Amino acid sequence: MIPTMRSATERLKKSVRDIPDFPKPGIVFKDITPILQDGQLFRLAITLFSDRYQRKTIDQIVAIDARGFLFASALAYVLGTGISLVRKKGKLPHKTIEASYDLEYGSNTVEMHVDALKKGQRVLIVDDVLATGGTMKAAIDLVEKLEAQVVEVAFFAEINFLEGRKKLGNVPIFSAMQF
């Protein structure tokens, strides 16, 4: 029997553990490693994404450093698309463009290769968690600088009280689960 999306989401949600005071006091980190360690749960997570995007025209998936790489890579494999990386500053070897952002516990700069996307490509951007939205907003800015089209942004989980959606404007957003 194929599980419904709701039952699949609830099963996955129960496997996410809270880590209090990480990476600093006052923050409750949503740890997805129990899902990654369990092949059936990880497959279920990727199935939630692939069911949503199999019938949409996606030319390229953009993956956000670092846990977003895990979901995006598996999804790109299933969909048969390429994958482009958004990484922390100084981690990519070729010529890059950059965008800076704030997050709930600091600030950072991310980069993407200047040739990561072609003008007009239809892009899905994937990350693990939507928190304050800063990282994703920076990734959207990078995709738009390269004149590609953001079809949607996708997250495994969303932390609602941080209101990250507000930072992303009118870009369509999908979150497999909400906390």
Side-chain angles (χ1 to χ4, degrees), residues 85 92 94-98 111-119 142 145-147:
L85 306 178
L92 292 171
H94 185 53
K95 185 177 177 185
T96 61
I97 56 172
E98 68 179 45
E111 297 178 316
M112 180 180 246
H113 282 148
V114 295
D115 60 355
L117 301 170
K118 295 177 179 70
K119 182 178 180 176
L142 292 172
K145 282 182 189 178
L146 295 177
E147 300 182 60

Side-chain angles (χ1 to χ4, degrees), residues 47-108:
T47 299
L48 284 176
F49 284 116
S50 64
D51 284 353
R52 181 170 181 86
Y53 298 110
Q54 276 186 325
R55 289 173 187 75
K56 295 188 180 196
T57 303
I58 305 292
D59 299 318
Q60 191 80 351
I61 294 178
V62 170
I64 297 179
D65 193 349
R67 295 185 312 166
F69 291 174
L70 303 170
F71 293 101
S73 295
L75 182 59
Y77 174 79
V78 171
L79 298 180
T81 67
I83 187 167
S84 296
L85 306 178
V86 171
R87 297 210 61 197
K88 292 177 179 81
K89 186 176 177 109
K91 299 290 185 181
L92 292 171
H94 185 53
K95 185 177 177 185
T96 61
I97 56 172
E98 68 179 45
S100 295
Y101 64 97
D102 293 319
L103 42 88
E104 68 270 27
Y105 49 86
S107 63
N108 211 339

Side-chain angles (χ1 to χ4, degrees), residues 1-12 44-45 47-48 51 176:
M1 179 176 180
I2 298 173
T4 65
M5 184 174 201
R6 180 179 297 206
S7 68
T9 301
E10 287 305 314
R11 185 172 167 211
L12 290 165
L44 185 58
T47 299
L48 284 176
D51 284 353

